Amino acid sequence: MKITMAHGSGGKATSELIEDIFEKHFHNPVLAKMEDSAVVPGAERIAMTTDSFVVTPVFFPGGDIGRLSVCGTVNDLLMSGAKPRYLTCGFILEEGADTDDLKKIAASMAETAAEAGVCIVAGDTKVVEGKGGIYINTAGVGFVPPDVSLSASSCEEGDMILLSGNLGDHHAAILSKRMNIQNTIQSDCAPLNEMVSTLLESGVKVKAMRDVTRGGLGTVLNEFAGASACCMELEEEAIPVSAQVRGFCEILGLDPLYMGNEGKMTVVVAGQDAKKALECLKKSRYGENAAIIGKVVSGESGTVLLKTPIGGTRIVTVLYGEGLPRIC
Amino acid sequence: MKITMAHGSGGKATSELIEDIFEKHFHNPVLAKMEDSAVVPGAERIAMTTDSFVVTPVFFPGGDIGRLSVCGTVNDLLMSGAKPRYLTCGFILEEGADTDDLKKIAASMAETAAEAGVCIVAGDTKVVEGKGGIYINTAGVGFVPPDVSLSASSCEEGDMILLSGNLGDHHAAILSKRMNIQNTIQSDCAPLNEMVSTLLESGVKVKAMRDVTRGGLGTVLNEFAGASACCMELEEEAIPVSAQVRGFCEILGLDPLYMGNEGKMTVVVAGQDAKKALECLKKSRYGENAAIIGKVVSGESGTVLLKTPIGGTRIVTVLYGEGLPRIC
């Protein structure tokens, strides 16, 4: 069946769509009440975030827009040290969108939400003219434990910088699918709950965490360096990139430092805790390729430097404009 | 300036857009931290909701998509008895969208958020191909006082049904603008904080509240009648509709019972409190035309009846599919 404008009218067609697809997959006691708002237990400190997802194609190797829409918001909550609890989701459907695709996407969201330990408590569906596109907004609430305080502005000289795994997989998977390039690259799209809780519960002094999405590692570390008024120095050789993605980047002239990922994070820890932090990442799900990739050094404030294997140093700037559109 | 795909890349163009428009208007200490999530004080019980806004045209008499996107989510929180506190907003912009329009919309959101007492704590911007359209998702969190318990399933025989003002203004304003019909009808788009707090603090026993948006009053009351397994009876003559909207409806063959509003609510209260509830609504901002419009009677469960001025009775069903698209 195809989506029509009537599915967005707020009448019976909307109700039927919700019952057939969203209620079926997202069913839980809160959502079942079908009130204007979900009323749920709260906490003394909460984290809130939102993200819209417009990735094309909606199905790609290693994931789909549904899995992505849960992981993206869950990971943003995790990065502030929160325990993700609730999600809302807003669907904007273009006329002509396929309801079978929507069912698969809803099933994938439900599965990923279960993995990430979050409950989908509220939703909304709108329909617009167009060519069958599917856009999903998720917003999330997490509970922040009293003792957690992370901030992009907390990094200081002597801290070490870690990356939780290979760069560029999501970006390369999307681009390969869009350009019809044959390879076995899969998106890394994943919720990082286990990794973050292992790290935070280990006693490691974590200064800042950020998932490495749009804009890539280069952009994230520039945000850290700017907010903390510090200088970061990366070892190019230490940055993990799979052989296949490296080859893909060389052919297309792409730099893994600016490629988007959907299941990777970078974390800055106190220098003496770096080894322990690495062990935590490596033993966690999705963290097997984690590495220490650099450190905070004395140097020009707000700058990120990259030491190349042949002994050179170049400045890593933020991504400007030319990133792959509709990657997430 | 026009929005390009680069504004959605996550790089420098995205940052500049955020700084120029969203930071400027939404500026507050939480948002200024620019972390992946906002960390804010919580409460023991919270309400959560989400809504996407795709209204066209984005500017209309009495409001715009920005004001609408704040009112819609604030009102949904209010309807569960919550005090609205935080909003997130996700913008999905079509390539070619005008940045001057975006600035006006952001200013309107900021002004409405201030009126409604909510803080915009997190945001996201994506860009997709298209013809300059602007879509906004808002999600909201409110704090629910311990003594509040409202539910669509709480209505029972003897309860009275109130409406906070004239039906159909928003719907008629959008349709007039879209059809280029000359009149002075304005959208009723408004946050209902004052009305709801006046009512809840008055001691009136409120059973259920719902804002009357897409699907109209007919659809909302059918949801109440279904959830409460009761029969509701409306007096057609008691339902407030302005002369101009009534005339508009007659010409176009529209039924105010199914027209969308963006600043109206219906409330079911214990019978003995109806008069007091009406006084509360009438003395509140946006409530001057409030009326008692019907009651919960013995009769077929899940049914809404309408008594006409000439003594007839007809069944009010839910809206099926033929509602005006992209009204909100």
PDB file of all heavy atoms in Angstrom, chain A residues 287-298:
ATOM      1  N   GLY A 287      33.459  -2.323  20.159  1.00  0.00           N
ATOM      2  CA  GLY A 287      34.681  -1.589  20.493  1.00  0.00           C
ATOM      3  C   GLY A 287      35.975  -2.322  20.186  1.00  0.00           C
ATOM      4  O   GLY A 287      37.046  -1.875  20.593  1.00  0.00           O
ATOM      5  N   GLU A 288      35.892  -3.410  19.424  1.00  0.00           N
ATOM      6  CA  GLU A 288      37.077  -4.268  19.276  1.00  0.00           C
ATOM      7  C   GLU A 288      38.250  -3.556  18.590  1.00  0.00           C
ATOM      8  O   GLU A 288      39.408  -3.919  18.787  1.00  0.00           O
ATOM      9  CB  GLU A 288      36.725  -5.582  18.555  1.00  0.00           C
ATOM     10  CG  GLU A 288      36.201  -5.456  17.130  1.00  0.00           C
ATOM     11  CD  GLU A 288      34.710  -5.158  17.034  1.00  0.00           C
ATOM     12  OE1 GLU A 288      34.094  -4.803  18.061  1.00  0.00           O
ATOM     13  OE2 GLU A 288      34.151  -5.243  15.909  1.00  0.00           O
ATOM     14  N   ASN A 289      37.987  -2.550  17.767  1.00  0.00           N
ATOM     15  CA  ASN A 289      39.077  -1.847  17.077  1.00  0.00           C
ATOM     16  C   ASN A 289      39.443  -0.507  17.721  1.00  0.00           C
ATOM     17  O   ASN A 289      40.087   0.337  17.083  1.00  0.00           O
ATOM     18  CB  ASN A 289      38.705  -1.622  15.605  1.00  0.00           C
ATOM     19  CG  ASN A 289      38.495  -2.929  14.870  1.00  0.00           C
ATOM     20  OD1 ASN A 289      39.277  -3.872  15.028  1.00  0.00           O
ATOM     21  ND2 ASN A 289      37.419  -3.030  14.094  1.00  0.00           N
ATOM     22  N   ALA A 290      39.051  -0.304  18.958  1.00  0.00           N
ATOM     23  CA  ALA A 290      39.338   0.967  19.648  1.00  0.00           C
ATOM     24  C   ALA A 290      40.842   1.209  19.707  1.00  0.00           C
ATOM     25  O   ALA A 290      41.646   0.266  19.695  1.00  0.00           O
ATOM     26  CB  ALA A 290      38.751   0.937  21.056  1.00  0.00           C
ATOM     27  N   ALA A 291      41.211   2.494  19.776  1.00  0.00           N
ATOM     28  CA  ALA A 291      42.637   2.845  19.816  1.00  0.00           C
ATOM     29  C   ALA A 291      42.831   4.184  20.510  1.00  0.00           C
ATOM     30  O   ALA A 291      41.932   5.020  20.539  1.00  0.00           O
ATOM     31  CB  ALA A 291      43.180   2.912  18.395  1.00  0.00           C
ATOM     32  N   ILE A 292      44.037   4.346  21.064  1.00  0.00           N
ATOM     33  CA  ILE A 292      44.464   5.666  21.549  1.00  0.00           C
ATOM     34  C   ILE A 292      45.010   6.390  20.326  1.00  0.00           C
ATOM     35  O   ILE A 292      45.903   5.889  19.646  1.00  0.00           O
ATOM     36  CB  ILE A 292      45.550   5.525  22.632  1.00  0.00           C
ATOM     37  CG1 ILE A 292      44.967   4.790  23.851  1.00  0.00           C
ATOM     38  CG2 ILE A 292      46.095   6.905  23.035  1.00  0.00           C
ATOM     39  CD1 ILE A 292      46.003   4.410  24.914  1.00  0.00           C
ATOM     40  N   ILE A 293      44.456   7.546  20.011  1.00  0.00           N
ATOM     41  CA  ILE A 293      44.817   8.178  18.734  1.00  0.00           C
ATOM     42  C   ILE A 293      45.551   9.506  18.894  1.00  0.00           C
ATOM     43  O   ILE A 293      46.012  10.066  17.914  1.00  0.00           O
ATOM     44  CB  ILE A 293      43.567   8.395  17.837  1.00  0.00           C
ATOM     45  CG1 ILE A 293      42.542   9.296  18.550  1.00  0.00           C
ATOM     46  CG2 ILE A 293      42.954   7.060  17.428  1.00  0.00           C
ATOM     47  CD1 ILE A 293      41.465   9.852  17.610  1.00  0.00           C
ATOM     48  N   GLY A 294      45.661  10.008  20.107  1.00  0.00           N
ATOM     49  CA  GLY A 294      46.369  11.281  20.250  1.00  0.00           C
ATOM     50  C   GLY A 294      46.294  11.801  21.666  1.00  0.00           C
ATOM     51  O   GLY A 294      45.846  11.093  22.579  1.00  0.00           O
ATOM     52  N   LYS A 295      46.721  13.057  21.838  1.00  0.00           N
ATOM     53  CA  LYS A 295      46.737  13.615  23.182  1.00  0.00           C
ATOM     54  C   LYS A 295      46.538  15.126  23.145  1.00  0.00           C
ATOM     55  O   LYS A 295      46.642  15.748  22.076  1.00  0.00           O
ATOM     56  CB  LYS A 295      48.054  13.273  23.875  1.00  0.00           C
ATOM     57  CG  LYS A 295      49.274  13.753  23.126  1.00  0.00           C
ATOM     58  CD  LYS A 295      50.548  13.105  23.679  1.00  0.00           C
ATOM     59  CE  LYS A 295      51.730  13.450  22.760  1.00  0.00           C
ATOM     60  NZ  LYS A 295      52.931  12.666  23.013  1.00  0.00           N
ATOM     61  N   VAL A 296      46.259  15.672  24.308  1.00  0.00           N
ATOM     62  CA  VAL A 296      46.151  17.120  24.433  1.00  0.00           C
ATOM     63  C   VAL A 296      47.535  17.631  24.811  1.00  0.00           C
ATOM     64  O   VAL A 296      48.135  17.144  25.786  1.00  0.00           O
ATOM     65  CB  VAL A 296      45.104  17.516  25.493  1.00  0.00           C
ATOM     66  CG1 VAL A 296      44.972  19.043  25.568  1.00  0.00           C
ATOM     67  CG2 VAL A 296      43.749  16.884  25.157  1.00  0.00           C
ATOM     68  N   VAL A 297      48.061  18.566  24.002  1.00  0.00           N
ATOM     69  CA  VAL A 297      49.437  19.038  24.183  1.00  0.00           C
ATOM     70  C   VAL A 297      49.458  20.550  24.415  1.00  0.00           C
ATOM     71  O   VAL A 297      48.441  21.225  24.249  1.00  0.00           O
ATOM     72  CB  VAL A 297      50.288  18.702  22.930  1.00  0.00           C
ATOM     73  CG1 VAL A 297      50.394  17.184  22.744  1.00  0.00           C
ATOM     74  CG2 VAL A 297      49.701  19.352  21.666  1.00  0.00           C
ATOM     75  N   SER A 298      50.610  21.058  24.767  1.00  0.00           N
ATOM     76  CA  SER A 298      50.741  22.516  24.818  1.00  0.00           C
ATOM     77  C   SER A 298      50.873  22.971  23.374  1.00  0.00           C
ATOM     78  O   SER A 298      51.510  22.315  22.558  1.00  0.00           O
ATOM     79  CB  SER A 298      51.956  22.923  25.655  1.00  0.00           C
ATOM     80  OG  SER A 298      53.140  22.569  24.958  1.00  0.00           O
TER      81      SER A 298
END
